[in-house]
Amino acid sequence: MKVVMVLYPGGPAAKENPELLGCAENALGLRKFIESQGHELVSITDTGAELERHLPTTHVLVATPFWPAYMTRERIQMSPELRLLLTAGVGSDHFDLAAAAERRITVAEITGSNVVSVAEHVVMQVLALVRNYMPSYEDVVHGGWNIGPLAARSHDLEDKTVGIVGMGRIGQRVAARLKPFDVRMFYYDNRRLSAAEEQVLGARFLPLDTLVPECDVISINAPLTPATERLFNLERLRRMKKGAYLVNTARGRIVDTQALVDVLKDGHLAGYAGDVWYPQPATPDHPWRTMPHHAMTPHVSGTTLEAQRRYANGVKECLAAFFDGRPIEREYLIAEGGKIVSPSYSYAYT
Ligand code: NAI
């Protein structure tokens, strides 16, 4: 079998820190494992021509959301041998799931591998926005001491209303971590939690259109599907409370690119943060880089060193099963046997 990994470049950090498993140089720490089983491993960073050169002979493609190899329908057609698409991480929208399912290609991801890492990032970015951290930090670095304008945009999180859109593994961890801040919390998900789960998390269900205008802070934690693409379009962004904050660590395409710039420029939203963009890597002139009142990072929340270890182990587990002809862990499966089987995705594809 030929396994192709498309991973981000580690640069000098790849050698300096062998724990940086998720880069192309370190190939998830799986080179020996794959080659010792008699299979071929190609680990590349190029998501364009070099990837396409390998596609006709690739059996397994491993990619990450942080440095996506966009496997479009055309590219899937260029890959007659392809049998397994694996996401080293969580979120498999970089693969055309419908096209993969039609070809009966198995799609799997390492469910749960980085959910704590992302939830911590969300909490950090919520606080960064609400407390006006980024301008305060910039002020210090640039020699200032401008308490007035900095304090004029700084709030407590306590007593604010928080909304979570997508109450799955990450959404629930965000809720658990924000509950001790004494916030009022609502959530929307197309699968409602039990009353006991709602009580433990301190979050009440609201339909999306009721939740949106209620909240001072909204965190998006739903997958990108045909149902969530541009879910936060201009109309919905305008329905958010004036002066509210939006944090999106789910996927860039869930928020309309230009509409977001407009509502930040005219002050309707007080701030935006997250780590997901479209396309990725973001172009140097991507408008979100320079829009006002943002606290964005590159796509790093789900690739802490601990997360890399977890998703590398998960990829190894999936490859071992695949090489031995055993079934892949059910919880990891997104598409199998010609169907989209993950409950977080399937409703949007039927
Ligand atoms: P999950 O599958 O545990 O939870 C997703 C939740 O979203 C489910 O409860 C599902 O019912 C809900 N959902 C699906 N469609 C919805 C819709 N139209 N409206 C409202 N809710 C909807 O997945 P998990 O682990 O919580 O991850 C969620 C997403 O976060 C991933 O799909 C991925 O896109 C993103 N992610 C980002 C990372 C990063 O590094 N920034 C890392 C990991 C995940």
Side-chain angles (χ1 to χ4, degrees), residues 65-66 89-93 109-119 121-122 164-173 188-193 208 220-229 231 248-252 254 274-276 280 298-304 331 334 342-348:
F66 320 106
V90 174
S92 293
D93 51 274
E109 63 185 36
I110 314 306
T111 304
S113 57
N114 51 16
V115 294
V116 166
S117 323
V118 179
H121 200 89
V122 172
I164 296 176
V165 176
M167 195 59 138
R169 293 172 184 83
I170 295 173
Q172 291 178 38
R173 283 164 178 78
Y188 169 71
D189 195 297
N190 53 327
R191 289 180 296 162
R192 205 172 156 169
L193 299 178
L208 185 61
I220 305 177
N221 300 108
L224 174 64
T225 66
T228 58
E229 184 164 357
L231 185 66
N248 173 19
T249 55
R251 284 296 178 261
I254 297 176
D275 67 329
V276 286
Q280 288 189 180
H299 195 162
V300 290
S301 72
T303 190
T304 59
E331 238 199 347
I334 305 296
S342 156
S344 292
Y345 286 85
S346 54
Y347 80 98

Side-chain angles (χ1 to χ4, degrees), residues 211-293:
L211 176 146
V212 164
E214 275 293 315
C215 294
D216 301 295
V217 177
I218 293 180
S219 170
I220 305 177
N221 300 108
L224 174 64
T225 66
T228 58
E229 184 164 357
R230 294 181 64 252
L231 185 66
F232 282 76
N233 56 14
L234 185 60
E235 196 189 341
R236 190 158 273 121
L237 289 169
R238 287 252 174 257
R239 275 206 232 122
M240 286 178 69
K241 210 186 230 185
K242 184 165 166 53
Y245 304 92
L246 182 59
V247 174
N248 173 19
T249 55
R251 284 296 178 261
R253 278 156 73 194
I254 297 176
V255 177
D256 184 281
T257 305
Q258 188 55 44
L260 176 66
V261 176
D262 293 346
V263 295
L264 285 168
K265 277 193 174 157
D266 69 20
H268 183 69
L269 286 197
Y272 180 87
D275 67 329
V276 286
W277 309 65
Y278 186 77
Q280 288 189 180
T283 51
D285 62 348
H286 193 293
W288 288 3
R289 288 185 189 267
T290 49
M291 64 191 176
H293 308 305

Side-chain angles (χ1 to χ4, degrees), residues 191-204:
R191 289 180 296 162
R192 205 172 156 169
L193 299 178
S194 68
E197 287 168 322
E198 290 186 359
Q199 201 185 358
V200 168
L201 295 171
R204 274 176 43 211

Side-chain angles (χ1 to χ4, degrees), residues 24 65 67 69 76 86 90 111-112 123 130 152 183 192 201-202 205 215 283 285-286 316 324 327 348:
W67 185 265
I76 287 174
L86 258 185
V90 174
T111 304
V123 174
V130 172
V183 294
R192 205 172 156 169
L201 295 171
F205 177 87
C215 294
T283 51
D285 62 348
H286 193 293
K316 185 177 182 185
D324 294 353

